[in-house]
Amino acid sequence: MPRARALPPTTIDLPRADCTSPPQPRGVHPISSPRVFEFDNTYAAELEGLYTSWQGGPARKPAIVILNHKLAQELGVDASALDTPAGAAMLAGSDSTPGANPLAQAYAGHQFGSFNPQLGDGRALLLGELIDVHGKRRDIQLKGSGPTPYSRGGDGRAAIGPILREYLVGEFMHTVGIPTTRALAAVLTGETVYREDSLPGAVLTRVASSHIRVGTFQIFAARGENEKLKRLADYTIQRHLPEIADVADPYLALLRRVVDRQATLVAKWMSIGFVHGVMNTDNTTISGETIDYGPCAFMDEFDSKALFSSIDRGGRYAYDNQPPIAQWNLSRFAETLLVLMDPEDPGRAIPKATGAVEEFGGLYEIRWMAEVRAKLGLKTSEANDRTFIAELHAALDAGDVDYTSFFRRLAAALRGDESQVNELSCETSALRAWIEQWMSRHKAQQTDPLETAAAMDRINPVYIPRNHKVEEALDAATRADYAPFKTLHQLLSAPYTPIPGQEEYATPAPSDFGPYQTFCGT
Ligand code: AMP
Ligand code: MG
């Protein structure tokens, strides 16, 4: 169990990014920008000193690739005003956006376990916040809009492939009910970005409950800037958890709520077979939303050690390490709050902070078991459920069973066709024995098997972003052919409904696709 420990005293004297003066808005587009977003910018107004005001870089030829009309509606934004040359220039970051207060947020983070005292938005700009039609405050951020004082030698840009990956996977996560940042638009900048190849540059308009991360707390805690840390914590509470503002120990309550949200989130990732790939503390949100889809992937055949990121040689962020890593990240969050919990003697707060972080294990287990039970159509819990699920995983692992198809075919077994699920396994005896146990659980719960099968099909997707299909779509998009991306996006927007003729999207990668590798820093 990772334990909360006192933050060592620090004398780090970092270069202050906020001495650099921002570039002027370029306004390259001759048409004046329409007012599309009704901004209400609290981060800029209340957290001075925690960010750097900045502007986007040039974009020679902004062009919209995809615009999320449904999300625009939810945000109370007129999508038709964005779907114009002036709208594209705003979303590319090259033209100023009326009402925006663009800024790069400062943050630090533990990357693969090592503390990096200054990261920050190196290729993103927070344009501002707005209140959506449900009354919820949302951040509007541009990702890939050019270098900032936090770029640390990076170009501040993004290529079309990773931008569309985030659009596709993020929106899928939302569709299947997993908390996530959203994608409002992907636009081409008309600039070339240089990676291993020359690639079309692009910008994602990302929408989030907020972009506050564990790393946002860490940068000020590490610098010993307690006044900023307190302002950030109080702002976070007001924004995300106003109901705890007046409790006796609000910072402990904040920690406990974030522990709870992360436990919920990671249980959902695990249940759908998602491997985030870069669970650094700067990619751990306080809101409990999934953020950053760089090296993420979904597993085809079940593998508890599934790992895709090319740079994760030690398997730190492998599938079954995700819950303990989330807890480790929460310990780092807890450390930043000690000085707020007990300003006179932060060490005294360690036991209660440790207790809060240790709640993760129990909460995670409850959420995870509930997710799996629902996937299996089980209405009741039993004492041996944990073993029952572990046995299922062992059988899936041993039989190289395609994880996503398994649950749909299991539902078919309830309709009387067991052959489909048996076909999935190359080693059937363990799986058959498990299915027999599962069948008897269903008999015992005395529910209508057809109704249960239908309920299972409502939560177990037919289509997920299969790695080979994602790569195919992104490769084509890099060559300006967006048709495969749009087909995949369409299927993923209604992932529970099988579409005749689209079976290739519901099957694992062919063997010639080889082991899948993803890349960071894209
Ligand atoms: P990520 O791996 O996307 O979470 O990014 C980690 C850190 O690297 C963040 O501070 C990013 O802003 C920064 N970063 C990633 N890519 C670039 C880039 N192309 N240019 C500048 N900064 C970058
Ligand atoms: Mg990040």
Side-chain angles (χ1 to χ4, degrees):
M1 285 279 187
R3 301 186 69 84
R5 59 184 164 76
L7 191 77
T10 174
T11 52
I12 303 168
D13 186 19
L14 293 163
R16 301 295 154 136
D18 27 15
C19 333
T20 328
S21 52
Q24 290 310 300
R26 262 158 263 261
V28 288
H29 204 276
I31 307 165
S32 70
S33 310
R35 189 173 181 105
V36 186
F37 300 102
E38 286 304 324
F39 285 116
D40 174 35
N41 300 330
T42 59
Y43 202 93
E46 295 173 33
L47 296 181
E48 210 172 302
L50 282 72
Y51 61 81
T52 306
S53 292
W54 207 250
Q55 300 286 338
R60 224 162 306 191
K61 212 172 159 207
I64 290 183
V65 176
I66 183 164
L67 196 56
N68 190 337
H69 289 260
K70 234 170 134 181
L71 179 58
Q73 215 169 39
E74 197 180 311
L75 296 172
V77 164
D78 176 8
S80 65
L82 286 176
D83 205 359
T84 58
M90 284 193 302
L91 298 180
S94 60
D95 276 16
S96 58
T97 303
N101 199 335
L103 59 90
Q105 292 177 320
Y107 54 85
H110 274 90
Q111 299 182 302
F112 290 90
S114 304
F115 187 59
N116 188 330
Q118 188 170 356
L119 293 166
D121 286 335
R123 57 163 167 178
L125 280 182
L126 175 67
L127 291 183
E129 303 134 42
L130 51 74
I131 309 294
D132 72 13
V133 297
H134 308 296
K136 211 180 133 200
R137 182 171 294 278
R138 314 278 286 264
D139 270 8
I140 309 291
Q141 193 209 53
L142 302 182
K143 180 173 177 182
S145 54
T148 76
Y150 305 94
S151 295
R152 300 172 297 131
D155 63 359
R157 298 287 187 179
I160 185 68
I163 291 300
L164 291 182
R165 172 197 289 272
E166 178 155 344
Y167 195 109
L168 198 67
V169 181
E171 287 306 294
F172 169 75
M173 297 289 263
H174 171 72
T175 303
V176 296
I178 300 179
T180 178
T181 63
R182 304 287 307 279
L184 178 62
V187 299
L188 288 166
T189 57
E191 304 290 322
T192 302
V193 300
Y194 300 94
R195 299 293 181 259
E196 272 174 17
D197 296 313
S198 307
L199 300 165
V203 174
L204 181 82
T205 309
R206 181 156 74 179
V207 177
S209 286
S210 86
H211 283 84
I212 303 169
R213 313 135 194 268
V214 168
T216 321
F217 285 78
Q218 285 182 293
I219 189 167
F220 304 109
R223 291 178 180 194
E225 294 184 342
N226 295 344
E227 180 276 328
K228 287 183 182 171
L229 186 66
K230 182 169 177 347
R231 259 196 298 143
L232 173 66
D234 292 343
Y235 174 87
T236 304
I237 290 172
Q238 279 305 334
R239 181 158 174 180
H240 289 287
L241 297 157
E243 68 277 13
I244 63 166
D246 297 322
V247 302
D249 197 341
Y251 307 113
L252 178 64
L254 170 64
L255 174 60
R256 294 185 67 201
R257 299 298 180 97
V258 176
V259 166
D260 190 304
R261 288 176 179 193
Q262 286 291 327
T264 304
L265 178 66
V266 177
K268 286 180 183 288
W269 289 356
M270 298 298 280
S271 81
I272 202 156
F274 177 75
V275 181
H276 181 279
V278 62
M279 289 177 70
N280 295 333
T281 56
D282 50 304
N283 292 335
T284 304
T285 59
I286 298 306
S287 65
E289 289 175 349
T290 312
I291 193 168
D292 278 4
Y293 289 92
C296 69
F298 290 83
M299 51 191 187
D300 279 347
E301 72 277 4
F302 184 85
D303 174 8
S304 58
K305 304 276 171 237
L307 174 71
F308 303 98
S309 170
S310 57
I311 61 166
D312 190 359
R313 299 218 167 77
R316 180 178 174 89
Y317 299 141
Y319 174 73
D320 66 355
N321 249 4
Q322 296 187 118
I325 285 293
Q327 194 183 22
W328 191 90
N329 291 345
L330 290 162
S331 299
R332 306 290 78 76
F333 182 47
E335 287 166 5
T336 71
L337 298 176
L338 296 176
V339 69
L340 301 181
M341 289 181 199
D342 195 332
E344 276 162 32
D345 182 0
R348 274 196 314 224
I350 292 177
K352 61 184 176 185
T354 303
V357 173
E358 283 179 348
E359 284 170 17
F360 180 90
L363 288 168
Y364 172 76
E365 180 119 336
I366 291 167
R367 307 280 150 72
W368 154 247
M369 303 256 276
E371 293 285 336
V372 181
R373 262 187 223 112
K375 283 177 88 63
L376 295 172
L378 297 174
K379 300 273 185 301
T380 52
S381 55
E382 279 186 18
N384 72 342
D385 274 357
R386 198 202 289 197
T387 317
F388 186 53
I389 294 168
E391 282 169 4
L392 168 63
H393 285 172
L396 296 178
D397 219 335
D400 291 334
V401 175
D402 182 63
Y403 183 65
T404 303
S405 317
F406 173 75
F407 295 96
R408 297 291 295 206
R409 297 195 185 198
L410 203 56
L414 275 185
R415 298 186 178 102
D417 178 6
E418 246 187 73
S419 64
Q420 284 193 37
V421 69
N422 287 329
E423 265 168 31
L424 278 177
S425 180
C426 62
E427 199 290 296
T428 55
S429 60
L431 192 61
R432 279 209 177 140
W434 185 88
I435 291 171
E436 244 168 63
Q437 276 191 66
W438 174 78
M439 283 290 201
S440 33
R441 285 279 297 264
H442 273 276
K443 279 198 191 104
Q445 73 181 23
Q446 295 185 335
T447 42
D448 176 356
L450 297 182
E451 266 175 31
T452 307
M456 287 170 70
D457 283 354
R458 283 196 293 275
I459 58 160
N460 290 314
V462 179
Y463 304 112
I464 59 161
R466 296 267 178 189
N467 304 322
H468 63 301
K469 286 294 178 192
V470 172
E471 289 303 320
E472 186 181 283
L474 303 190
D475 268 5
T478 301
R479 290 178 272 104
D481 171 10
Y482 303 108
F485 169 78
K486 294 207 167 153
T487 305
L488 185 55
H489 176 56
Q490 180 73 28
L491 284 173
L492 294 176
S493 63
Y496 305 106
T497 314
I499 307 288
Q502 302 290 29
E503 291 75 16
E504 64 178 293
Y505 288 89
T507 48
S511 54
D512 64 1
F513 184 66
Y516 187 51
Q517 267 214 323
T518 56
F519 300 90
C520 254
T522 45

